[in-house]
Amino acid sequence: MNRRPILLAAVAVTALALTGCSGSTDSEAGADAPYRVLLTGGLSAQGALAANSQTASLATKAGVQVQNAAGGIGGRQIELTTVEDAGDATIAVTKLREAINSGKKPDLYLNSGPSSIAAAVLPILKQNNILSMSLSPAPDSTDPAKFPLNFDLAPGSTDTARGISEYAKSKGYSNVGVLHGSTAYGELFGAQMTKELEKVGVKAAGNEEYDAAALDMTAQLQALKNSGATALALDAYGAPLGYVLQSLERLGWDVPLIGNTSVSATSLIANDPPAGVLGTAQVKNLVTQVFTSTVFDPNNAPVNTMVNTMASLGSIPSTLILADNYDAFPLVAAAVEKVGSSTDPKKLAQALETEEVQKNAKTAFLSRYNFSADSHGPNPDTSELKFISPTKIVNGQFGNPAAS
């Protein structure tokens, strides 16, 4: 990636000493110090994880640049520190503890996935009173009773399942089978799909789980076919998506596929062979769930600012499904404006739950967040979701007429 310096923000990769824990209530930096943000990411990982981490990192850097140009967080310039976690939860935990005990405890923690990292760091963040925003939904990550200082930027399994169910009903699909991976998110998605289909009056014709390490999903697909499924709701991320599509082709089952955001975050569907499957029979029946910001619109000024800033900092290697972190900065800035201080994480969390802050935040990845005292998930309106056939991506977006 072409990494250019970020205007008005310091970006460093640090190696810090691991010691004990801090439990202070307020930010240790103080109102006169930079607003410290720690991002952990698997930039050196392999395949889809690396590309997605790099996109998440670019979105974070772009958010820093734009917010610093607007005055920072409560007048404090944002100082971003990025550390490599290789997509490994153990490394992410170690790096977070090192940062906490280095004398430079972060005001805000961000990650770039996967959900296993979010789940691992949440208890440490809670113990040390650190505000956090996550693009990787994890069990209980949106529960304020358990993690009062964490907010999920990425819509969770309930949001995506609700959108897919409403789409399936609008298309007249009466029997929808569900196929999902064995990951924590996949299992949550599978359970929610059954519930959401029932809510809209669509029959769930089977719910099958595949091992995320498997190379063949024919047995699960055959079971869904035997159950009378006339369409499939699909969860698959990275290599497993390719194996699902290959298994469907071997089975010879010509069935409509509705992919969740894990599918749209996998570059396989946006590239021509041999690197991908775009334009092949494997995706002729596929529509995939994306956010409004992931689809090119020349008239969407906030999104275009985000995209152009990201592109000015380097090549965007995956879809904007992973650009959630951009919105962390306008959200925190709006909360600080309401509270009148940037140093009390608890007060900022309470402010983020208010309609005033959510309305005033100049976000782009999602146009509006709906945090509440009962849920720290984004709870987006279904108008934030679209369903599109795969296309090539330009600067992380589908549907750009400049795509060749």
Side-chain angles (χ1 to χ4, degrees):
M1 293 176 59
N2 176 22
R3 295 190 177 93
R4 302 177 187 173
I6 295 182
L7 180 63
L8 302 176
V11 182
V13 177
T14 59
L16 307 169
L18 175 61
T19 53
C21 293
S22 169
S24 60
T25 301
D26 289 350
S27 163
E28 294 178 350
D32 296 329
Y35 188 86
R36 295 172 180 148
V37 177
L38 176 66
L39 169 70
T40 63
L43 302 177
S44 68
Q46 300 296 315
L49 178 59
N52 289 339
S53 292
Q54 290 162 11
T55 297
S57 177
L58 271 181
T60 307
K61 294 176 181 180
V64 168
Q65 178 168 311
V66 171
Q67 191 60 48
N68 272 342
I73 302 290
R76 299 165 65 187
Q77 288 290 286
I78 304 164
E79 180 181 273
L80 175 65
T81 299
T82 303
V83 297
E84 174 65 55
D85 65 23
D88 185 298
T90 301
I91 297 175
V93 165
T94 299
K95 295 297 185 182
L96 174 58
R97 287 192 182 278
E98 290 174 349
I100 290 170
N101 294 286
S102 68
K104 293 185 177 182
K105 176 181 171 181
D107 295 284
L108 175 68
Y109 171 83
L110 303 171
N111 65 55
S112 61
S115 58
S116 57
I117 287 178
V121 301
L122 280 172
I124 301 168
L125 294 165
K126 178 182 178 181
Q127 180 184 17
N128 289 276
N129 297 300
I130 297 173
L131 185 67
S132 61
M133 293 189 173
S134 177
L135 57 71
S136 299
D140 301 321
S141 61
T142 62
D143 185 350
K146 294 185 177 179
F147 300 109
L149 299 182
N150 182 71
F151 294 81
D152 278 2
L153 298 172
S157 57
T158 299
D159 302 313
T160 55
R162 183 175 70 249
I164 289 174
S165 298
E166 292 181 5
Y167 175 81
K169 183 176 182 179
S170 74
K171 299 297 288 185
Y173 301 141
S174 57
N175 298 284
V176 177
V178 180
L179 181 65
H180 64 89
S182 59
T183 62
Y185 177 80
E187 291 175 352
L188 287 171
F189 173 78
Q192 289 301 133
M193 273 305 311
T194 298
K195 294 178 183 178
E196 295 299 327
L197 286 169
E198 290 176 355
K199 286 181 182 179
V200 299
V202 175
K203 180 181 178 182
N207 192 315
E208 293 288 328
E209 177 176 305
Y210 62 83
D211 186 334
L215 306 181
D216 190 325
M217 291 74 168
T218 305
Q220 291 88 343
L221 290 166
Q222 184 67 64
L224 291 170
K225 185 177 182 180
N226 293 343
S227 296
T230 56
L232 293 182
L234 174 63
D235 162 69
Y237 173 67
L241 174 59
Y243 298 132
V244 169
L245 296 176
Q246 291 170 10
S247 298
L248 263 174
E249 190 172 46
R250 283 194 294 269
L251 190 60
W253 189 13
D254 194 27
V255 62
L257 290 175
I258 312 169
N260 66 5
T261 52
S262 295
V263 173
S264 55
T266 302
S267 61
L268 181 75
I269 65 169
N271 289 306
D272 293 326
V277 293
L278 183 63
T280 72
Q282 290 185 9
V283 293
K284 69 176 182 178
N285 295 322
L286 175 67
V287 295
T288 186
Q289 186 181 49
V290 297
F291 306 122
T292 300
S293 58
T294 323
V295 181
F296 177 75
D297 179 357
N299 299 314
N300 193 327
V303 172
N304 292 334
T305 295
M306 176 179 72
V307 174
N308 292 337
T309 306
M310 289 175 66
S312 74
L313 297 168
S315 174
I316 304 173
S318 66
T319 69
L320 293 187
I321 291 291
L322 278 300
D324 319 55
N325 286 346
Y326 181 90
D327 283 351
F329 305 103
L331 283 165
V332 174
V336 168
E337 183 177 354
K338 177 176 175 61
V339 171
S341 169
S342 60
T343 61
D344 189 327
K346 183 177 180 180
K347 288 182 179 179
L348 292 177
Q350 292 171 342
L352 285 164
E353 296 171 352
T354 66
E355 184 177 356
E356 176 188 346
V357 166
Q358 295 156 19
K359 181 180 179 180
N360 290 340
K362 296 178 174 60
T363 58
F365 176 77
L366 294 180
S367 63
R368 174 70 183 266
Y369 290 78
N370 297 290
F371 304 126
S372 71
D374 298 318
S375 171
H376 283 185
N379 302 306
D381 186 270
T382 51
S383 64
E384 299 270 12
L385 298 169
K386 289 188 175 183
F387 292 85
I388 64 168
S389 299
T391 70
K392 287 188 176 180
I393 58 173
V394 175
N395 286 336
Q397 293 182 302
F398 295 99
N400 192 319
S404 57

